[in-house]
Amino acid sequence: MRILIAEDDTASRLILEAALAGLGHEVVAATDGEQAWQLFQSEKVEAIISDREMPGLNGIDLCRRIRGSDGGKYIYFIFLTSVSDKVGAAEAIRAGADDYLMKPLNRHELEARLLVASRITKLYGELAAQQVQLERLNRQLFSQARLDGLTQVGNRLKMREDLNILAARVTEQGESLCAVMCDVDHFKLYNDKYGHLQGDEVLKKIASTLVQGCRPNDEVYRFGGEEFLLVMPEQSVETACAVAERHRARIEQLAIPNIASPGTIVTISAGVAAMTTTRPSIKEWLESADGALYRAKQLGRNRVVVAAGV
């Protein structure tokens, strides 16, 4: 182990250094509590052996300061105290020390204490690694729970969470927010002709194309079936329409064959609606975008339509 020792008495410090080196440990030595604290902040150590009585920062306060720091790693702390100072030993344990050694130093007792220290620090290290792994897995699960399993864009859960935040910003800060509701044209005919597995591949390709065409702040969600919702913060209706048209054109340019449809390729229709401070309801906003999408379907599909009254 790498061990920091804090001992103001030169002879005692040299004896302790020699004993630790003889047991195969690496030593960082400090002549008082303040120097030990500075070394603790700059050096990576696994254990500390500190005298109790030192000028300036004493051993008790050094232990409290180290226990109060957030180093992300457990440091085993051993106090050195006199045989007669039983009260001091108990106070050191209450301050956060793990163990204590009586002076004069006994090499066998030192070795035994450090074997325990090694086991404890190893156990804490394993627990810390497991905690990091658990937190990483929890983050992954949190993200996966908010992704559509097929298309890997946001699902309805993520959509609801995000829209509640964005709608609040519209109401409180007057930000603009546009929705583009997209639907794959003649998708039932596509599935009937090519099969559902191939239909799934088309949905994945369309989702990927929509994501690639988005700005960093835009979001794509699978609204359901072959419907996708694009949410565009800080966009006017005019710019949202232009972006929606680019998305529509990109899908058309993929030229995915669909001989079951009149156009012989896969296309999308889209409806655009804006949320305003006078109409901040998420439900009404999405219904407005969906109504515009329905109008686009009525007009012949493969087009973008703006919601009435926008």
Side-chain angles (χ1 to χ4, degrees):
M1 288 194 300
R2 197 159 193 260
I3 301 171
L4 170 63
I5 61 175
E7 173 61 79
D8 62 316
D9 181 73
T10 303
S12 297
R13 186 173 63 255
L14 292 174
I15 291 171
L16 182 55
E17 283 189 66
L20 291 171
L23 293 171
H25 300 286
E26 185 180 351
V27 178
V28 179
T31 58
D32 58 38
E34 279 295 345
Q35 187 184 23
W37 171 244
Q38 296 302 322
L39 287 171
F40 170 74
Q41 293 176 297
S42 61
E43 301 283 342
K44 292 182 179 180
V45 297
E46 299 164 272
I48 296 173
I49 301 177
S50 173
D51 190 22
R52 183 174 184 272
E53 296 299 333
M54 292 182 292
L57 186 67
N58 63 36
I60 296 286
D61 291 336
L62 173 64
C63 183
R64 289 195 179 109
R65 188 177 292 184
I66 287 171
R67 288 292 180 246
S69 66
D70 184 18
K73 179 181 177 182
Y74 191 79
I75 305 299
Y76 201 86
F77 204 108
I78 301 174
F79 261 105
L80 290 173
T81 188
S82 64
V83 174
S84 60
D85 190 14
K86 301 291 185 180
V87 174
E91 184 183 4
I93 299 298
R94 286 194 296 270
D98 297 286
D99 208 340
Y100 62 90
L101 279 166
M102 297 295 186
K103 294 182 180 179
L105 187 67
N106 181 292
R107 187 179 185 280
H108 297 296
E109 288 186 1
L110 175 63
E111 183 178 13
R113 298 298 200 280
L114 292 177
L115 285 172
V116 174
S118 178
R119 291 171 187 165
I120 295 296
T121 54
K122 182 181 178 182
L123 177 60
Y124 268 99
E126 291 172 351
L127 290 173
Q130 290 174 5
Q131 181 65 26
V132 169
Q133 176 74 354
L134 182 61
E135 290 172 357
R136 184 182 65 82
L137 290 173
N138 283 336
R139 288 194 297 271
Q140 286 181 348
L141 289 172
F142 183 88
S143 298
Q144 289 171 2
R146 286 154 178 79
L147 284 180
D148 176 64
L150 176 66
T151 62
Q152 295 300 293
V153 297
N155 60 14
R156 295 291 287 264
L157 171 60
K158 187 175 192 311
M159 182 192 76
R160 285 195 298 270
E161 292 175 344
D162 291 350
L163 291 187
N164 285 331
I165 295 171
L166 291 170
R169 281 164 45 183
V170 171
T171 303
E172 296 167 9
Q173 302 172 29
E175 292 187 8
S176 57
L177 184 63
C178 287
V180 179
M181 193 74 76
C182 304
D183 184 82
V184 183
D185 296 326
H186 300 295
F187 192 65
K188 183 181 184 304
L189 295 178
Y190 186 95
N191 280 334
D192 291 343
K193 177 65 179 179
Y194 298 95
H196 288 275
L197 291 178
Q198 193 60 34
D200 286 348
E201 293 303 314
V202 168
L203 291 178
K204 288 193 284 187
K205 183 66 174 177
I206 288 175
S208 174
T209 303
L210 292 173
V211 170
Q212 290 169 16
C214 283
R215 304 175 309 159
N217 289 339
D218 296 343
E219 287 288 347
V220 180
Y221 308 94
R222 189 178 181 190
F223 196 74
E226 65 271 23
E227 265 190 304
F228 295 91
L229 174 68
L230 280 66
V231 175
M232 302 178 182
E234 301 177 17
Q235 287 269 33
S236 67
V237 173
E238 292 75 15
T239 55
C241 283
V243 172
E245 177 58 29
R246 287 199 295 271
H247 282 298
R248 185 207 61 76
R250 283 167 61 90
I251 301 299
E252 187 177 37
Q253 288 164 11
L254 294 175
I256 301 171
N258 183 10
I259 60 174
S261 76
T264 71
I265 60 172
V266 171
T267 58
I268 63 170
S269 298
V272 179
M275 178 181 286
T276 65
T277 53
T278 57
R279 193 178 61 181
S281 165
I282 294 174
K283 182 175 181 292
E284 291 179 10
W285 175 52
L286 295 181
E287 286 176 349
S288 182
D290 198 51
L293 169 61
Y294 181 72
R295 180 65 176 157
K297 295 281 190 180
Q298 286 182 320
L299 292 173
R301 297 181 170 84
N302 192 24
R303 68 191 63 222
V304 176
V305 171
V306 181
V310 174

